[in-house]
Amino acid sequence: MHAQYMRRALELAEWGRGNVSPNPMVGCVIVHDGVIIGEGFHKVYGGPHAEVNAVNSVKNPELLPESTVYVTLEPCAHFGKTPPCANLLVEKSVKKVVIAAFDSNPLVGGKGIQILKDAGIEVETGILEQEARSQNRRFFTQIEKKRPYVILKWAQTLDGFVARKDYSSKWISNSLSRQQVHKWRAEEDAILVGRNTAQYDDPSLNVRDWVGKNPLRLVIDRQLQLSHELKLFDHGIPTICYNLKKSETNGNLEWKKLSPKFEIQEILDDLQERKIQSLIVEGGSFLLNKFIESELWDEARVFTSQVKFLEGINAPQISHPSSERVYFLEDELAIYYHV
């Protein structure tokens, strides 16, 4: 039965996707005598945590001392934007707490569990742990690897090209695939493209075919050659331009000067300092290959259409097999995980 209730908690946690970063997604279910009497999830960064929302949803609080709390991540033990959730559960004298995943954040890291145990509350851990860690892989990557979770995304033709030789590509993937990309954008913190993609595609890099927040826009322009007439510089969304020339701010546009080495790791270090939890890289081929060669990526999402170019700019190559393949009409989406 533990797994059944934890799966429900994981379902609830998913509702926070795209809205709680840099916090993790967390779901909570409260059960009394086999009946769910409370549910909650972390809805928005800075707002109440899952345990608070779940406790507040219980119509008869007198049942809490005889109830079991299922939570997808170890309850927090520190004062941040909100008070510690471990203390709340102690205050409510819950009978037992079942936890999916240990929180590797040094501010929590076992302290939440210890608070519960010290108060005489029974604690069980590791229920659907892998599912919980996978759901929050962005959070765990940032905590454990000290960098954002990196997703590479591109669309390629059936014969393996991402653009024509003149960098034009029209649309390679279909409208349903493109809508899926906009959903992804709404779920991630930042989006990055290289100079050629910015210059030839003139992308907006916003969320249009889905409902959700726009990611922070990032572009690499080492010598500051891009026209300020491009959509990336329209002041519509906060945007950072990584370059070798200057550090400057103009409204919500920022130019960030990097060292002459200009390594991918340097960009990721800067994003880590900004508490950017996830990054989606949408091209071009040169930039995508840099991430692959540096082994600084976690996931790749590759659309393959039925279109053929016969010649053009080669698509990046990933050496190991895909973990999943799904179809968006005639487009095939292959998903790879870098493990």
Side-chain angles (χ1 to χ4, degrees):
M1 292 299 289
H2 281 342
Q4 173 186 335
Y5 296 127
M6 193 61 78
R7 284 196 183 91
R8 175 56 182 163
L10 288 166
E11 287 177 359
L12 291 167
E14 195 64 29
W15 284 94
R17 185 174 295 280
N19 297 313
V20 300
S21 175
N23 283 351
M25 296 175 283
V26 182
C28 182
V29 170
I30 302 175
V31 179
H32 179 267
D33 283 346
V35 177
I36 295 177
I37 62 170
E39 292 187 335
F41 65 96
H42 186 27
K43 296 180 180 180
V44 62
Y45 177 67
H49 288 186
E51 297 93 327
V52 176
N53 288 328
V55 166
N56 288 342
S57 75
V58 176
K59 289 188 171 65
N60 186 358
E62 294 179 1
L63 297 177
L64 287 171
E66 292 300 319
S67 298
T68 298
V69 176
Y70 294 83
V71 62
T72 58
L73 190 68
E74 177 183 0
C76 64
H78 65 289
F79 284 87
K81 295 282 186 181
T82 60
C85 292
N87 291 16
L88 171 68
L89 297 179
V90 170
E91 177 190 326
K92 299 301 180 181
S93 302
V94 301
K95 181 179 181 180
K96 181 175 180 177
V97 178
V98 180
I99 299 167
F102 175 85
D103 190 340
S104 53
N105 184 341
L107 292 172
V108 182
K111 296 173 185 174
I113 291 174
Q114 196 59 51
I115 288 173
L116 297 172
K117 287 183 175 179
D118 288 346
I121 296 172
E122 183 183 353
V123 177
E124 186 170 346
T125 61
I127 304 300
L128 300 187
E129 180 178 9
Q130 291 307 310
E131 289 88 338
R133 281 188 61 88
S134 177
Q135 182 179 62
N136 269 316
R137 55 191 181 272
R138 292 154 183 79
F139 171 76
F140 285 113
T141 295
Q142 186 174 52
I143 293 293
E144 296 167 9
K145 296 185 178 181
K146 311 298 183 189
R147 65 164 175 80
Y149 185 84
V150 176
I151 300 167
L152 309 181
K153 172 265 161 185
W154 70 87
Q156 63 188 28
T157 62
L158 191 61
D159 49 356
F161 301 108
V162 294
R164 301 185 188 278
K165 281 190 172 181
D166 62 358
Y167 290 96
S168 68
S169 60
K170 303 292 184 183
W171 291 117
I172 291 178
S173 56
N174 62 44
S175 59
L176 188 61
S177 298
R178 296 197 296 274
Q179 184 181 45
Q180 179 64 33
V181 171
H182 283 261
K183 177 179 182 293
W184 291 339
R185 289 179 180 178
E187 295 172 348
E188 310 306 336
D189 286 353
I191 184 169
L192 171 67
V193 295
R195 185 178 65 82
N196 283 335
T197 298
Q199 179 176 332
Y200 293 103
D201 291 357
D202 191 14
S204 297
L205 300 186
N206 59 8
V207 176
R208 299 186 301 279
D209 297 333
W210 200 260
V211 176
K213 65 174 180 59
N214 292 310
L216 172 68
R217 297 188 297 199
L218 311 171
V219 61
I220 295 175
D221 183 16
R222 299 185 190 214
Q223 304 302 326
L224 297 182
Q225 297 169 298
L226 291 173
S227 167
H228 286 195
E229 299 303 313
L230 294 174
K231 294 170 185 173
L232 284 175
F233 302 113
D234 63 5
H235 290 272
I237 303 169
T239 303
I240 300 172
C241 177
Y242 290 108
N243 68 92
L244 292 172
K245 298 286 190 180
K246 67 178 182 178
S247 288
E248 184 180 298
T249 302
N250 178 10
N252 61 3
L253 298 183
E254 179 182 349
W255 288 263
K256 175 68 176 178
K257 182 180 179 181
L258 299 183
S259 72
K261 290 183 179 180
F262 211 102
E263 295 177 345
I264 295 298
Q265 184 64 59
E266 192 175 359
I267 293 175
L268 296 182
D269 289 344
D270 179 66
L271 295 178
Q272 176 74 358
E273 288 184 12
R274 298 171 190 265
K275 296 185 178 180
I276 298 299
Q277 196 179 82
S278 61
L279 170 68
I280 185 164
V281 184
E282 287 204 12
S285 184
F286 177 82
L287 180 59
L288 290 162
N289 276 318
K290 281 294 183 185
F291 275 89
I292 294 171
E293 291 164 8
S294 303
E295 297 192 349
L296 290 171
W297 64 283
D298 301 285
E299 185 177 339
R301 302 169 180 176
V302 184
F303 287 103
T304 301
S305 74
Q306 298 303 304
V307 174
K308 288 186 178 181
F309 281 177
L310 302 181
E311 60 179 5
I313 309 297
N314 290 323
Q317 296 292 318
I318 292 178
S319 58
H320 51 275
S322 63
S323 299
E324 183 181 354
R325 288 180 182 267
V326 295
Y327 284 87
F328 290 79
L329 301 178
E330 70 277 8
D331 290 350
E332 180 189 67
L333 171 65
I335 300 177
Y336 303 81
Y337 293 101
H338 186 215
V339 293

